[in-house]
Amino acid sequence: MEKRKITTDELFDSLITVLINYERNKDILSETPHRRFLDLALVPVLLNKKENTYEYVSESLIRDYKLDCDKIIDFAYLNHIRTLGIQFRSMFDIFMKIIPDEAFMEQTDNSFDISSKNTFVLTNKYMLYGASLLYNKELLEMIGSLFKKDYYIIPSSVNEIIIFPNIEYNEVSEIKDLIRMVNENVLESEDLFLSNSLYKYKINYNSIAIL
């Protein structure tokens, strides 16, 4: 049976963005519109809302619908925020929702790190492809205004990023090693991999750089 062609309204309604690693996805990126960002690429995709999966926007789709690549990326990014929202919460708050009170007290007495109050997760309300928010310069600036200082960003996965307002200079190397270790041994799927880099947001320049 011939696959039904989606309508223009359906196309635009399902458009969001994902942030993926540039080097590891060069083959895919050669066939889909994207925008290079640090060691990453912002890519427009078609979200399947029932299955929480997506398919890349192909060049043939761009031609068939007579679309402009830059405008599609811009629209997909805005639609991502409109559809999935923004969530910026401390890791402490997230743990409090996940761990029962009794278990939380046990963890606190032993291995639970209370400094997670100073560790934040940036994602969306579905915790799905939320790392795209790293591309939002205005949002990063707002977070900088909240901290009133530079801060560090761990690209945890395609679904979220982790933000630390405080890292000692001598800890940077250790954190880089930790990022690589987690990506190699803990990450559930290769599809979730985002980057082995550690980023720093510089509040005075409103810019982000790889350390």
Side-chain angles (χ1 to χ4, degrees):
M1 180 182 293
E2 185 177 351
K3 186 178 180 181
R4 182 181 73 87
K5 185 177 181 180
I6 64 173
T7 67
T8 303
D9 286 345
E10 289 172 329
L11 171 70
F12 279 90
D13 185 57
S14 64
L15 273 171
I16 64 165
T17 51
V18 295
L19 201 59
I20 61 176
N21 186 271
Y22 183 84
E23 289 295 332
R24 293 200 183 191
N25 294 282
K26 279 187 172 180
D27 289 344
I28 293 170
L29 295 173
S30 68
E31 299 176 353
T32 188
H34 62 277
R35 192 169 289 164
R36 182 79 184 266
F37 175 63
L38 302 169
D39 55 344
L40 310 168
L42 187 71
V43 186
V45 298
L46 302 174
L47 176 66
N48 183 324
K49 295 178 182 178
K50 291 183 178 179
E51 300 180 7
N52 288 338
T53 58
Y54 65 82
E55 63 178 284
Y56 291 101
V57 174
S58 64
E59 290 183 345
S60 61
L61 189 69
I62 294 287
R63 288 194 301 270
D64 290 346
Y65 286 86
K66 298 180 174 59
L67 303 172
D68 178 274
C69 289
D70 279 333
K71 289 180 179 178
I72 279 294
I73 295 172
D74 289 339
F75 178 86
Y77 189 76
L78 291 174
N79 198 51
H80 183 122
I81 296 174
R82 181 186 67 82
T83 304
L84 303 179
I86 298 172
Q87 179 175 273
F88 180 65
R89 300 176 64 186
S90 74
M91 196 169 284
F92 179 84
D93 289 340
I94 293 173
F95 280 141
M96 285 291 285
K97 281 191 171 294
I98 295 173
I99 304 173
D101 290 345
E102 313 81 49
F104 174 75
M105 292 306 297
E106 290 178 8
Q107 291 282 357
T108 303
D109 291 339
N110 297 295
S111 59
F112 186 84
D113 185 0
I114 205 70
S115 68
S116 59
K117 287 183 177 179
N118 295 317
T119 304
F120 298 83
V121 177
L122 179 61
T123 181
N124 52 52
K125 60 185 179 181
Y126 300 101
M127 299 191 76
L128 186 69
Y129 314 128
S132 284
L133 295 169
L134 181 62
Y135 186 75
N136 192 319
K137 208 168 185 181
E138 290 78 14
L139 182 57
L140 298 183
E141 185 176 17
M142 288 174 62
I143 295 171
S145 298
L146 177 68
F147 293 150
K148 295 181 172 56
K149 63 168 84 172
D150 296 349
Y151 57 87
Y152 299 83
I153 302 167
I154 291 177
S156 176
S157 78
V158 298
N159 291 327
E160 75 284 313
I161 59 174
I162 297 174
I163 293 176
F164 295 84
N166 297 303
I167 290 181
E168 298 297 329
Y169 179 77
N170 60 0
E171 294 178 321
V172 169
S173 179
E174 293 178 17
I175 291 174
K176 286 182 178 180
D177 291 341
L178 179 63
I179 293 171
R180 187 175 298 275
M181 184 276 292
V182 170
N183 283 334
E184 291 177 355
N185 302 306
V186 180
L187 209 61
E188 294 177 0
S189 167
E190 178 69 20
D191 293 337
L192 295 176
F193 174 81
L194 187 55
S195 174
N196 283 323
S197 299
L198 174 65
Y199 307 122
K200 183 176 183 179
Y201 176 83
K202 298 180 180 180
I203 189 171
N204 291 335
Y205 299 98
N206 188 21
S207 65
I208 182 172
I210 300 172
L211 291 181

